């Protein structure tokens, strides 16, 4: 969960697959490509309170959104538009697996060289 407000709001990740050198861009994160397979992006939860009722807006990573929804809003049906936004398709899953495999191969080669 990411919160906006003074000194907050910068999207950060700790993905072991992508590594710390991966630069996150919200606009490009919504479309899976070979070089950027993940569509994990920050979302505003439509059911969580927003200013002025609370001091900050809560953002949730799309890959974690279902877990957030089930914990925070268990009695509310998730809108179809949100379900569509968080869906991870088969093409994306295949690209993520290929990306992971290539990172492992590169890591193995650099370990063997050193």
């Amino acid at each position: 969960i990411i919160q906006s407000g003074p000194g907050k709001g910068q999207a950060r990740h700790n993905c072991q697959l992508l590594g710390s050198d991966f630069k996150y861009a919200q606009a490009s994160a919504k479309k899976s490509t070979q070089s950027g397979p993940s569509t994990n992006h920050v979302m505003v939860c439509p059911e969580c309170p927003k200013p002025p009722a609370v001091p900050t807006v809560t953002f949730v990573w799309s890959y974690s959104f279902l877990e957030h929804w089930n914990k925070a809003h268990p009695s509310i049906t998730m809108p179809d538009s949100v379900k569509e936004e968080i869906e991870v398709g088969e093409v994306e899953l295949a690209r993520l697996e290929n990306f992971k495999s290539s990172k492992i191969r590169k890591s193995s080669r650099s370990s063997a060289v050193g």
Side-chain angles (χ1 to χ4, degrees), residues 22 38 110:
F22 181 81
S38 173
S110 59

Side-chain angles (χ1 to χ4, degrees), residues 1-112:
I1 292 179
I2 301 167
Q3 294 185 326
S4 69
K8 298 180 182 178
Q10 176 62 40
R12 298 188 204 325
H13 70 87
N14 60 355
C15 179
Q16 294 175 349
L17 173 61
L18 295 176
S20 60
D21 59 335
F22 181 81
K23 302 297 182 226
Y24 174 78
Q26 176 76 359
S28 62
K30 290 187 177 185
K31 181 159 176 58
S32 177
T33 64
Q34 292 288 39
S35 60
S38 173
T39 61
N40 197 17
H41 60 282
V42 291
M43 300 172 57
V44 175
C45 178
E47 290 297 326
C48 284
K50 294 167 187 58
V54 294
T56 61
V57 175
T58 298
F59 296 88
V60 182
W61 287 102
S62 60
Y63 284 3
S64 304
F65 199 87
L66 182 59
E67 180 182 0
H68 161 78
W69 190 274
N70 289 337
K71 286 181 180 177
H73 316 292
S75 63
I76 302 172
T77 301
M78 184 185 291
D80 289 341
S81 61
V82 174
K83 289 178 187 176
E84 290 171 15
E85 188 170 352
I86 66 172
E87 181 179 8
V88 178
E90 300 222 4
V91 170
E92 179 177 352
L93 290 172
R95 286 177 173 162
L96 286 166
E97 189 58 42
N98 288 339
F99 191 85
K100 178 181 177 184
S101 297
S102 70
K103 292 285 265 189
I104 290 170
R105 282 192 302 273
K106 285 179 187 176
S107 176
S108 296
R109 277 187 253 147
S110 59
S111 297

